[in-house]
mmCIF file of all heavy atoms in Angstrom:
data_model
loop_
_atom_site.group_PDB
_atom_site.id
_atom_site.type_symbol
_atom_site.label_atom_id
_atom_site.label_comp_id
_atom_site.label_asym_id
_atom_site.label_seq_id
_atom_site.Cartn_x
_atom_site.Cartn_y
_atom_site.Cartn_z
ATOM 1 N N ASP A 1 12.058 121.828 92.601
ATOM 2 C CA ASP A 1 12.900 120.881 93.317
ATOM 3 C C ASP A 1 14.325 121.424 93.463
ATOM 4 O O ASP A 1 14.936 121.322 94.529
ATOM 5 C CB ASP A 1 12.920 119.545 92.571
ATOM 6 C CG ASP A 1 13.683 118.477 93.326
ATOM 7 O OD1 ASP A 1 13.252 118.104 94.439
ATOM 8 O OD2 ASP A 1 14.722 118.012 92.811
ATOM 9 N N ARG A 2 14.828 122.026 92.392
ATOM 10 C CA ARG A 2 16.194 122.580 92.426
ATOM 11 C C ARG A 2 16.291 123.734 93.417
ATOM 12 O O ARG A 2 17.243 123.811 94.206
ATOM 13 C CB ARG A 2 16.592 123.052 91.028
ATOM 14 C CG ARG A 2 18.034 123.548 90.909
ATOM 15 C CD ARG A 2 18.401 123.789 89.453
ATOM 16 N NE ARG A 2 17.756 124.982 88.927
ATOM 17 C CZ ARG A 2 18.284 126.204 89.022
ATOM 18 N NH1 ARG A 2 19.446 126.385 89.633
ATOM 19 N NH2 ARG A 2 17.652 127.236 88.499
ATOM 20 N N ARG A 3 15.325 124.633 93.392
ATOM 21 C CA ARG A 3 15.353 125.794 94.281
ATOM 22 C C ARG A 3 15.198 125.385 95.744
ATOM 23 O O ARG A 3 15.874 125.927 96.628
ATOM 24 C CB ARG A 3 14.244 126.772 93.899
ATOM 25 C CG ARG A 3 14.415 127.416 92.539
ATOM 26 C CD ARG A 3 15.594 128.361 92.506
ATOM 27 N NE ARG A 3 15.770 128.940 91.171
ATOM 28 C CZ ARG A 3 16.749 129.781 90.857
ATOM 29 N NH1 ARG A 3 17.634 130.131 91.776
ATOM 30 N NH2 ARG A 3 16.848 130.249 89.633
ATOM 31 N N LEU A 4 14.317 124.430 96.024
ATOM 32 C CA LEU A 4 14.169 123.960 97.398
ATOM 33 C C LEU A 4 15.421 123.240 97.866
ATOM 34 O O LEU A 4 15.797 123.322 99.038
ATOM 35 C CB LEU A 4 12.950 123.042 97.521
ATOM 36 C CG LEU A 4 11.584 123.728 97.500
ATOM 37 C CD1 LEU A 4 10.471 122.689 97.480
ATOM 38 C CD2 LEU A 4 11.414 124.663 98.692
ATOM 39 N N GLY A 5 16.082 122.537 96.951
ATOM 40 C CA GLY A 5 17.343 121.895 97.291
ATOM 41 C C GLY A 5 18.404 122.913 97.673
ATOM 42 O O GLY A 5 19.154 122.730 98.649
ATOM 43 N N GLN A 6 18.475 124.004 96.921
ATOM 44 C CA GLN A 6 19.422 125.066 97.247
ATOM 45 C C GLN A 6 19.108 125.672 98.615
ATOM 46 O O GLN A 6 20.021 125.909 99.420
ATOM 47 C CB GLN A 6 19.376 126.152 96.170
ATOM 48 C CG GLN A 6 19.939 125.723 94.829
ATOM 49 C CD GLN A 6 19.731 126.780 93.759
ATOM 50 O OE1 GLN A 6 18.935 127.710 93.916
ATOM 51 N NE2 GLN A 6 20.448 126.646 92.658
ATOM 52 N N ALA A 7 17.822 125.923 98.868
ATOM 53 C CA ALA A 7 17.427 126.500 100.148
ATOM 54 C C ALA A 7 17.718 125.547 101.302
ATOM 55 O O ALA A 7 18.144 125.964 102.381
ATOM 56 C CB ALA A 7 15.936 126.846 100.117
ATOM 57 N N ASP A 8 17.508 124.260 101.064
ATOM 58 C CA ASP A 8 17.766 123.251 102.089
ATOM 59 C C ASP A 8 19.243 123.221 102.453
ATOM 60 O O ASP A 8 19.621 123.189 103.622
ATOM 61 C CB ASP A 8 17.301 121.889 101.567
ATOM 62 C CG ASP A 8 17.260 120.843 102.659
ATOM 63 O OD1 ASP A 8 16.824 121.172 103.778
ATOM 64 O OD2 ASP A 8 17.664 119.697 102.398
ATOM 65 N N ARG A 9 20.093 123.261 101.420
ATOM 66 C CA ARG A 9 21.542 123.256 101.683
ATOM 67 C C ARG A 9 21.979 124.524 102.410
ATOM 68 O O ARG A 9 22.833 124.481 103.303
ATOM 69 C CB ARG A 9 22.306 123.086 100.372
ATOM 70 C CG ARG A 9 22.191 121.688 99.775
ATOM 71 C CD ARG A 9 23.146 121.489 98.619
ATOM 72 N NE ARG A 9 22.799 122.326 97.477
ATOM 73 C CZ ARG A 9 21.927 121.988 96.536
ATOM 74 N NH1 ARG A 9 21.282 120.831 96.621
ATOM 75 N NH2 ARG A 9 21.684 122.791 95.523
ATOM 76 N N ALA A 10 21.391 125.656 102.039
ATOM 77 C CA ALA A 10 21.729 126.909 102.710
ATOM 78 C C ALA A 10 21.307 126.878 104.174
ATOM 79 O O ALA A 10 22.027 127.359 105.053
ATOM 80 C CB ALA A 10 21.051 128.078 101.989
ATOM 81 N N ALA A 11 20.138 126.288 104.447
ATOM 82 C CA ALA A 11 19.667 126.184 105.828
ATOM 83 C C ALA A 11 20.583 125.287 106.654
ATOM 84 O O ALA A 11 20.892 125.582 107.810
ATOM 85 C CB ALA A 11 18.237 125.641 105.843
ATOM 86 N N ARG A 12 21.030 124.194 106.052
ATOM 87 C CA ARG A 12 21.950 123.298 106.761
ATOM 88 C C ARG A 12 23.276 123.997 107.048
ATOM 89 O O ARG A 12 23.853 123.858 108.132
ATOM 90 C CB ARG A 12 22.207 122.034 105.929
ATOM 91 C CG ARG A 12 21.007 121.110 105.822
ATOM 92 C CD ARG A 12 21.323 119.900 104.958
ATOM 93 N NE ARG A 12 20.149 119.074 104.764
ATOM 94 C CZ ARG A 12 19.747 118.137 105.611
ATOM 95 N NH1 ARG A 12 20.447 117.929 106.718
ATOM 96 N NH2 ARG A 12 18.662 117.430 105.359
ATOM 97 N N PHE A 13 23.754 124.771 106.081
ATOM 98 C CA PHE A 13 25.019 125.495 106.263
ATOM 99 C C PHE A 13 24.887 126.522 107.374
ATOM 100 O O PHE A 13 25.759 126.633 108.246
ATOM 101 C CB PHE A 13 25.410 126.182 104.953
ATOM 102 C CG PHE A 13 26.695 126.967 105.036
ATOM 103 C CD1 PHE A 13 27.912 126.325 104.846
ATOM 104 C CD2 PHE A 13 26.690 128.322 105.304
ATOM 105 C CE1 PHE A 13 29.104 127.029 104.922
ATOM 106 C CE2 PHE A 13 27.871 129.034 105.392
ATOM 107 C CZ PHE A 13 29.073 128.390 105.199
ATOM 108 N N ALA A 14 23.777 127.264 107.372
ATOM 109 C CA ALA A 14 23.569 128.287 108.386
ATOM 110 C C ALA A 14 23.461 127.671 109.772
ATOM 111 O O ALA A 14 23.978 128.213 110.751
ATOM 112 C CB ALA A 14 22.301 129.082 108.059
ATOM 113 N N GLN A 15 22.821 126.526 109.873
ATOM 114 C CA GLN A 15 22.675 125.851 111.154
ATOM 115 C C GLN A 15 24.027 125.347 111.661
ATOM 116 O O GLN A 15 24.352 125.468 112.835
ATOM 117 C CB GLN A 15 21.697 124.685 111.017
ATOM 118 C CG GLN A 15 21.413 123.987 112.347
ATOM 119 C CD GLN A 15 20.519 122.784 112.159
ATOM 120 O OE1 GLN A 15 20.786 121.954 111.297
ATOM 121 N NE2 GLN A 15 19.466 122.689 112.945
ATOM 122 N N ARG A 16 24.833 124.841 110.736
ATOM 123 C CA ARG A 16 26.132 124.281 111.115
ATOM 124 C C ARG A 16 27.070 125.356 111.651
ATOM 125 O O ARG A 16 27.837 125.126 112.582
ATOM 126 C CB ARG A 16 26.763 123.610 109.903
ATOM 127 C CG ARG A 16 28.107 122.931 110.203
ATOM 128 C CD ARG A 16 28.677 122.327 108.930
ATOM 129 N NE ARG A 16 27.726 121.427 108.296
ATOM 130 C CZ ARG A 16 27.873 120.951 107.062
ATOM 131 N NH1 ARG A 16 28.911 121.314 106.328
ATOM 132 N NH2 ARG A 16 26.975 120.129 106.562
ATOM 133 N N TRP A 17 27.007 126.560 111.032
ATOM 134 C CA TRP A 17 27.937 127.627 111.399
ATOM 135 C C TRP A 17 27.322 128.669 112.310
ATOM 136 O O TRP A 17 27.897 129.724 112.511
ATOM 137 C CB TRP A 17 28.475 128.300 110.137
ATOM 138 C CG TRP A 17 29.346 127.363 109.358
ATOM 139 C CD1 TRP A 17 29.022 126.632 108.269
ATOM 140 C CD2 TRP A 17 30.710 127.034 109.651
ATOM 141 N NE1 TRP A 17 30.078 125.871 107.851
ATOM 142 C CE2 TRP A 17 31.137 126.094 108.677
ATOM 143 C CE3 TRP A 17 31.610 127.431 110.641
ATOM 144 C CZ2 TRP A 17 32.417 125.558 108.666
ATOM 145 C CZ3 TRP A 17 32.887 126.909 110.625
ATOM 146 C CH2 TRP A 17 33.283 125.975 109.651
ATOM 147 N N ARG A 18 26.169 128.387 112.888
ATOM 148 C CA ARG A 18 25.576 129.325 113.827
ATOM 149 C C ARG A 18 26.520 129.504 115.011
ATOM 150 O O ARG A 18 27.008 128.523 115.586
ATOM 151 C CB ARG A 18 24.230 128.788 114.325
ATOM 152 C CG ARG A 18 23.489 129.751 115.250
ATOM 153 C CD ARG A 18 22.304 129.068 115.883
ATOM 154 N NE ARG A 18 21.445 128.495 114.866
ATOM 155 C CZ ARG A 18 20.642 127.470 115.106
ATOM 156 N NH1 ARG A 18 20.625 126.904 116.293
ATOM 157 N NH2 ARG A 18 19.878 126.991 114.148
ATOM 158 N N PRO A 19 26.807 130.752 115.409
ATOM 159 C CA PRO A 19 27.727 130.973 116.539
ATOM 160 C C PRO A 19 27.263 130.238 117.787
ATOM 161 O O PRO A 19 26.082 130.249 118.121
ATOM 162 C CB PRO A 19 27.661 132.498 116.745
ATOM 163 C CG PRO A 19 27.264 133.034 115.413
ATOM 164 C CD PRO A 19 26.352 132.001 114.813
ATOM 165 N N ARG A 20 28.205 129.603 118.477
ATOM 166 C CA ARG A 20 27.870 128.815 119.658
ATOM 167 C C ARG A 20 27.729 129.664 120.912
ATOM 168 O O ARG A 20 27.301 129.167 121.950
ATOM 169 C CB ARG A 20 28.949 127.752 119.889
ATOM 170 C CG ARG A 20 29.038 126.742 118.753
ATOM 171 C CD ARG A 20 30.151 125.725 119.030
ATOM 172 N NE ARG A 20 30.227 124.737 117.964
ATOM 173 C CZ ARG A 20 29.489 123.640 117.897
ATOM 174 N NH1 ARG A 20 28.599 123.419 118.854
ATOM 175 N NH2 ARG A 20 29.615 122.791 116.910
ATOM 176 N N CYS A 21 28.103 130.935 120.821
ATOM 177 C CA CYS A 21 28.110 131.769 122.011
ATOM 178 C C CYS A 21 26.760 132.422 122.279
ATOM 179 O O CYS A 21 26.613 133.200 123.221
ATOM 180 C CB CYS A 21 29.176 132.863 121.886
ATOM 181 S SG CYS A 21 28.912 133.953 120.457
ATOM 182 N N ARG A 22 25.747 132.127 121.501
ATOM 183 C CA ARG A 22 24.446 132.744 121.722
ATOM 184 C C ARG A 22 23.842 132.269 123.036
ATOM 185 O O ARG A 22 24.045 131.143 123.474
ATOM 186 C CB ARG A 22 23.487 132.425 120.570
ATOM 187 C CG ARG A 22 23.865 133.109 119.279
ATOM 188 C CD ARG A 22 22.894 132.736 118.189
ATOM 189 N NE ARG A 22 23.229 133.419 116.930
ATOM 190 C CZ ARG A 22 22.620 133.200 115.786
ATOM 191 N NH1 ARG A 22 21.650 132.306 115.712
ATOM 192 N NH2 ARG A 22 22.964 133.863 114.706
ATOM 193 N N SER A 23 23.037 133.122 123.604
ATOM 194 C CA SER A 23 22.372 132.782 124.858
ATOM 195 C C SER A 23 21.387 131.643 124.644
ATOM 196 O O SER A 23 20.770 131.524 123.603
ATOM 197 C CB SER A 23 21.617 134.011 125.380
ATOM 198 O OG SER A 23 20.724 133.643 126.391
ATOM 199 N N THR A 24 21.219 130.831 125.662
ATOM 200 C CA THR A 24 20.247 129.735 125.555
ATOM 201 C C THR A 24 18.826 130.258 125.513
ATOM 202 O O THR A 24 17.903 129.539 125.157
ATOM 203 C CB THR A 24 20.388 128.782 126.770
ATOM 204 O OG1 THR A 24 20.236 129.540 127.966
ATOM 205 C CG2 THR A 24 21.723 128.080 126.735
ATOM 206 N N ASN A 25 18.642 131.537 125.898
ATOM 207 C CA ASN A 25 17.313 132.132 125.837
ATOM 208 C C ASN A 25 17.018 132.771 124.490
ATOM 209 O O ASN A 25 15.930 133.278 124.272
ATOM 210 C CB ASN A 25 17.151 133.204 126.922
ATOM 211 C CG ASN A 25 17.202 132.599 128.309
ATOM 212 O OD1 ASN A 25 16.704 131.501 128.506
ATOM 213 N ND2 ASN A 25 17.805 133.315 129.247
ATOM 214 N N SER A 26 18.006 132.777 123.595
ATOM 215 C CA SER A 26 17.792 133.387 122.287
ATOM 216 C C SER A 26 16.814 132.565 121.469
ATOM 217 O O SER A 26 16.867 131.336 121.478
ATOM 218 C CB SER A 26 19.130 133.467 121.532
ATOM 219 O OG SER A 26 18.907 133.817 120.186
ATOM 220 N N PRO A 27 15.892 133.240 120.752
ATOM 221 C CA PRO A 27 14.954 132.489 119.900
ATOM 222 C C PRO A 27 15.671 131.612 118.890
ATOM 223 O O PRO A 27 15.168 130.562 118.501
ATOM 224 C CB PRO A 27 14.163 133.596 119.188
ATOM 225 C CG PRO A 27 14.272 134.786 120.080
ATOM 226 C CD PRO A 27 15.628 134.673 120.714
ATOM 227 N N ALA A 28 16.881 132.043 118.485
ATOM 228 C CA ALA A 28 17.619 131.263 117.491
ATOM 229 C C ALA A 28 17.980 129.893 118.026
ATOM 230 O O ALA A 28 18.185 128.948 117.266
ATOM 231 C CB ALA A 28 18.884 132.016 117.074
ATOM 232 N N ARG A 29 18.085 129.767 119.373
ATOM 233 C CA ARG A 29 18.427 128.474 119.939
ATOM 234 C C ARG A 29 17.310 127.470 119.723
ATOM 235 O O ARG A 29 17.526 126.254 119.763
ATOM 236 C CB ARG A 29 18.693 128.618 121.450
ATOM 237 C CG ARG A 29 19.876 129.500 121.788
ATOM 238 C CD ARG A 29 21.186 128.837 121.463
ATOM 239 N NE ARG A 29 21.391 127.647 122.286
ATOM 240 C CZ ARG A 29 22.444 126.882 122.195
ATOM 241 N NH1 ARG A 29 23.385 127.131 121.297
ATOM 242 N NH2 ARG A 29 22.570 125.820 122.961
ATOM 243 N N ASP A 30 16.105 127.962 119.534
ATOM 244 C CA ASP A 30 14.957 127.073 119.362
ATOM 245 C C ASP A 30 14.671 126.757 117.911
ATOM 246 O O ASP A 30 13.762 125.981 117.614
ATOM 247 C CB ASP A 30 13.705 127.706 119.987
ATOM 248 C CG ASP A 30 13.854 127.860 121.486
ATOM 249 O OD1 ASP A 30 14.508 126.997 122.090
ATOM 250 O OD2 ASP A 30 13.331 128.846 122.032
ATOM 251 N N GLU A 31 15.425 127.387 116.992
ATOM 252 C CA GLU A 31 15.202 127.112 115.589
ATOM 253 C C GLU A 31 15.714 125.712 115.253
ATOM 254 O O GLU A 31 16.765 125.288 115.688
ATOM 255 C CB GLU A 31 15.932 128.143 114.729
ATOM 256 C CG GLU A 31 15.353 129.536 114.855
ATOM 257 C CD GLU A 31 16.155 130.524 114.027
ATOM 258 O OE1 GLU A 31 16.990 130.073 113.221
ATOM 259 O OE2 GLU A 31 15.957 131.729 114.204
ATOM 260 N N LYS A 32 14.959 125.011 114.441
ATOM 261 C CA LYS A 32 15.361 123.678 113.993
ATOM 262 C C LYS A 32 15.476 123.701 112.497
ATOM 263 O O LYS A 32 14.789 124.462 111.833
ATOM 264 C CB LYS A 32 14.340 122.629 114.437
ATOM 265 C CG LYS A 32 14.135 122.563 115.956
ATOM 266 C CD LYS A 32 13.091 121.532 116.275
ATOM 267 C CE LYS A 32 12.855 121.459 117.766
ATOM 268 N NZ LYS A 32 12.267 122.664 118.315
ATOM 269 N N HIS A 33 16.335 122.882 111.986
ATOM 270 C CA HIS A 33 16.460 122.798 110.537
ATOM 271 C C HIS A 33 15.129 122.404 109.923
ATOM 272 O O HIS A 33 14.420 121.560 110.440
ATOM 273 C CB HIS A 33 17.533 121.763 110.186
ATOM 274 C CG HIS A 33 17.637 121.527 108.717
ATOM 275 N ND1 HIS A 33 18.034 122.504 107.855
ATOM 276 C CD2 HIS A 33 17.364 120.436 107.982
ATOM 277 C CE1 HIS A 33 18.016 122.026 106.633
ATOM 278 N NE2 HIS A 33 17.602 120.766 106.687
ATOM 279 N N TRP A 34 14.769 123.038 108.806
ATOM 280 C CA TRP A 34 13.401 122.926 108.269
ATOM 281 C C TRP A 34 13.076 121.556 107.698
ATOM 282 O O TRP A 34 11.961 121.312 107.291
ATOM 283 C CB TRP A 34 13.136 124.029 107.243
ATOM 284 C CG TRP A 34 13.798 123.871 105.913
ATOM 285 C CD1 TRP A 34 14.747 122.986 105.538
ATOM 286 C CD2 TRP A 34 13.515 124.664 104.755
ATOM 287 N NE1 TRP A 34 15.089 123.176 104.235
ATOM 288 C CE2 TRP A 34 14.349 124.192 103.734
ATOM 289 C CE3 TRP A 34 12.639 125.718 104.485
ATOM 290 C CZ2 TRP A 34 14.326 124.751 102.451
ATOM 291 C CZ3 TRP A 34 12.633 126.264 103.220
ATOM 292 C CH2 TRP A 34 13.472 125.786 102.223
ATOM 293 N N ALA A 35 14.005 120.631 107.671
ATOM 294 C CA ALA A 35 13.702 119.314 107.106
ATOM 295 C C ALA A 35 13.358 118.290 108.169
ATOM 296 O O ALA A 35 13.446 117.110 107.934
ATOM 297 C CB ALA A 35 14.888 118.822 106.279
ATOM 298 N N GLY A 36 12.916 118.720 109.373
ATOM 299 C CA GLY A 36 12.844 117.779 110.450
ATOM 300 C C GLY A 36 11.545 117.289 111.018
ATOM 301 O O GLY A 36 11.524 116.191 111.523
ATOM 302 N N HIS A 37 10.419 118.044 111.017
ATOM 303 C CA HIS A 37 9.304 117.719 111.900
ATOM 304 C C HIS A 37 8.177 116.956 111.226
ATOM 305 O O HIS A 37 8.064 116.925 110.019
ATOM 306 C CB HIS A 37 8.729 119.011 112.489
ATOM 307 C CG HIS A 37 9.744 119.776 113.269
ATOM 308 N ND1 HIS A 37 10.238 119.354 114.463
ATOM 309 C CD2 HIS A 37 10.398 120.923 112.980
ATOM 310 C CE1 HIS A 37 11.128 120.210 114.906
ATOM 311 N NE2 HIS A 37 11.246 121.160 114.014
ATOM 312 N N HIS A 38 7.305 116.417 112.085
ATOM 313 C CA HIS A 38 6.074 115.785 111.612
ATOM 314 C C HIS A 38 4.902 116.411 112.330
ATOM 315 O O HIS A 38 5.036 116.951 113.421
ATOM 316 C CB HIS A 38 6.122 114.272 111.852
ATOM 317 C CG HIS A 38 7.190 113.613 111.053
ATOM 318 N ND1 HIS A 38 7.102 113.395 109.702
ATOM 319 C CD2 HIS A 38 8.425 113.168 111.421
ATOM 320 C CE1 HIS A 38 8.216 112.822 109.268
ATOM 321 N NE2 HIS A 38 9.017 112.685 110.268
ATOM 322 N N MET A 39 3.716 116.327 111.731
ATOM 323 C CA MET A 39 2.584 117.109 112.175
ATOM 324 C C MET A 39 1.483 116.202 112.733
ATOM 325 O O MET A 39 1.044 115.291 112.062
ATOM 326 C CB MET A 39 2.028 117.939 111.014
ATOM 327 C CG MET A 39 3.110 118.791 110.363
ATOM 328 S SD MET A 39 2.544 119.538 108.824
ATOM 329 C CE MET A 39 1.447 120.788 109.479
ATOM 330 N N PRO A 40 0.984 116.469 113.942
ATOM 331 C CA PRO A 40 -0.069 115.660 114.530
ATOM 332 C C PRO A 40 -1.448 116.140 114.101
ATOM 333 O O PRO A 40 -1.604 117.188 113.506
ATOM 334 C CB PRO A 40 0.128 115.883 116.030
ATOM 335 C CG PRO A 40 0.623 117.296 116.092
ATOM 336 C CD PRO A 40 1.496 117.459 114.880
ATOM 337 N N GLY A 41 -2.470 115.341 114.438
ATOM 338 C CA GLY A 41 -3.837 115.794 114.276
ATOM 339 C C GLY A 41 -4.449 115.529 112.931
ATOM 340 O O GLY A 41 -3.778 115.139 111.992
ATOM 341 N N LYS A 42 -5.779 115.832 112.813
ATOM 342 C CA LYS A 42 -6.506 115.548 111.587
ATOM 343 C C LYS A 42 -7.314 116.743 111.094
ATOM 344 O O LYS A 42 -7.996 116.659 110.094
ATOM 345 C CB LYS A 42 -7.471 114.365 111.805
ATOM 346 C CG LYS A 42 -6.771 113.071 112.149
ATOM 347 C CD LYS A 42 -7.777 111.945 112.283
ATOM 348 C CE LYS A 42 -7.077 110.630 112.606
ATOM 349 N NZ LYS A 42 -8.033 109.525 112.745
#
């Protein structure tokens, strides 16, 4: 739990300070913070 918490905070920090000048076609533009999605299907 502690290690995942550290990784979560680091991911949030990296997302917050990601340079804004990157191209909209960059794969990094499609990256989402890892605490966000839900999964469909069975």
Side-chain angles (χ1 to χ4, degrees):
D1 185 64
R2 185 171 73 88
R3 294 292 178 181
L4 285 174
Q6 291 174 345
D8 192 41
R9 289 190 293 274
R12 290 179 185 275
F13 179 85
Q15 184 184 49
R16 183 182 305 168
W17 293 100
R18 184 190 305 155
R20 297 179 179 275
C21 60
R22 291 179 179 174
S23 166
T24 56
N25 294 323
S26 169
R29 297 288 296 179
D30 296 326
E31 293 178 11
K32 301 178 181 66
H33 175 65
W34 74 350
H37 300 290
H38 295 286
M39 306 170 73
K42 297 183 179 180

